[in-house]
Amino acid sequence: MAKRWVRYVMPVMAEVDDEADEITRVVTLPEEIREDRDDMGNFLIYDDRFVRETGDEPAPTHAFCVAEPRWEHPQFRVGGPVNWPKTGEWEEGFDMTEADDRYAEINPYALDE
């Protein structure tokens, strides 16, 4: 079973109490999710080992199409995409301890041989 990661950007708002100099609230805006791109405008798609792939091949293109966020009413984006897990099930980051072991042998910047 092949898996791929398609990278997206989602705004996060931080409410600041000016008098106390502290952040009092953080709100994510899933309605404003958009595809993430590199500095050349290419979409960011990775294989299951987090090695970057080009979007020109069929498999990454398929992953990009499947991951495209869809809303119940596209003209009124409310909440998270209906084709994604519920926002309460989203993870806040990767377990880097596990990732260190899993990806220790991978150099994503190495030239293809």
Side-chain angles (χ1 to χ4, degrees):
M1 174 171 57
K3 294 186 179 182
R4 288 186 167 67
W5 292 92
V6 181
R7 186 171 162 154
Y8 287 84
V9 176
M10 179 176 57
V12 176
M13 302 278 297
E15 179 182 64
V16 177
D17 181 330
D18 289 335
E19 293 177 4
D21 289 336
E22 66 182 18
I23 297 171
T24 55
R25 190 173 165 201
V26 175
V27 177
T28 60
L29 302 172
E31 305 86 16
E32 296 183 29
I33 292 171
R34 66 183 184 280
E35 303 88 358
D36 198 6
R37 298 172 184 250
D38 64 15
D39 57 352
M40 299 289 291
N42 300 307
F43 297 117
L44 299 176
I45 304 170
Y46 303 86
D47 68 12
D48 62 337
R49 300 177 305 155
F50 291 100
V51 175
R52 176 88 182 274
E53 296 184 314
T54 66
D56 299 335
E57 299 296 320
T61 300
H62 174 77
F64 181 80
C65 292
V66 170
E68 180 181 5
R70 295 174 182 87
W71 281 264
E72 186 174 0
H73 303 286
Q75 65 274 31
F76 302 109
R77 290 184 174 189
V78 177
V82 295
N83 61 322
W84 288 17
K86 302 280 184 218
T87 55
E89 299 173 18
W90 294 3
E91 301 173 46
E92 290 191 19
F94 292 103
D95 178 357
M96 296 312 293
T97 305
E98 176 186 340
D100 286 346
D101 293 337
R102 183 173 176 193
Y103 306 111
E105 300 296 318
I106 297 172
N107 178 358
Y109 301 103
L111 297 175
D112 290 336
E113 295 180 18

